[in-house]
Amino acid sequence: QVQLAESGGGSVQAGGSLRLSCVASGDTASRNYMGWFRQAPGKEREPVAAISKSGGGTYRAGSVKDRFSISQDNSQQRTVYLYMNNLKPEDTAIYTCAAGDPRGWTDSRPQVLDAWGQGILVTVSS
């Protein structure tokens, strides 16, 4: 099993920045991709960004590609970071870390993923 723990959420004004972190523990070797989904009030969960274990593969949703970036640190526990810049009110959502099959992101199929964090709230005010 894999345990994922998120941190770094909070409230920010439009145009501001936040960094989310997700630390993985347990059987991380079996989960290639790791990244983030988000779910805004009244909307479906959507993929945001993900990165492969080697770092050679990344995914970012079109709506965030110019503003968000993803990186990782595998030196100790695998930790993935989501850097969110120029935040907009429409970025307000619960952001949840996940790990596993890249199709969860590329095909927008979160149901193929079986490792999830608890989720963390990001609020962007105008």
Side-chain angles (χ1 to χ4, degrees), residues 32-34 50-59 70-74 78:
N32 187 5
Y33 272 68
M34 192 165 148
I51 187 168
S52 66
K53 197 182 309 179
S54 70
T58 59
Y59 166 87
I70 189 166
S71 67
Q72 67 185 348
D73 180 356
N74 293 335
R78 185 178 181 188

Side-chain angles (χ1 to χ4, degrees), residues 10-108:
S11 298
V12 65
Q13 289 191 327
S17 300
L18 282 174
R19 186 188 77 168
L20 303 184
S21 303
C22 179
V23 181
S25 58
D27 182 21
T28 59
S30 63
R31 306 305 197 278
N32 187 5
Y33 272 68
M34 192 165 148
W36 300 87
F37 283 76
R38 70 183 182 184
Q39 187 166 18
K43 294 188 176 181
E44 291 189 356
R45 181 179 285 180
E46 62 176 357
V48 178
I51 187 168
S52 66
K53 197 182 309 179
S54 70
T58 59
Y59 166 87
R60 282 179 293 170
S63 60
V64 305
K65 208 162 192 175
D66 294 334
R67 301 181 294 120
F68 292 12
S69 62
I70 189 166
S71 67
Q72 67 185 348
D73 180 356
N74 293 335
S75 58
Q76 297 184 14
Q77 286 183 295
R78 185 178 181 188
T79 303
V80 172
Y81 302 100
L82 182 67
Y83 296 87
M84 305 185 293
N85 299 310
N86 190 21
L87 282 160
K88 303 176 180 181
E90 52 263 42
D91 295 317
T92 294
I94 294 175
Y95 286 71
T96 307
C97 183
D101 192 320
R103 292 174 298 174
W105 288 270
T106 58
D107 296 353
S108 193

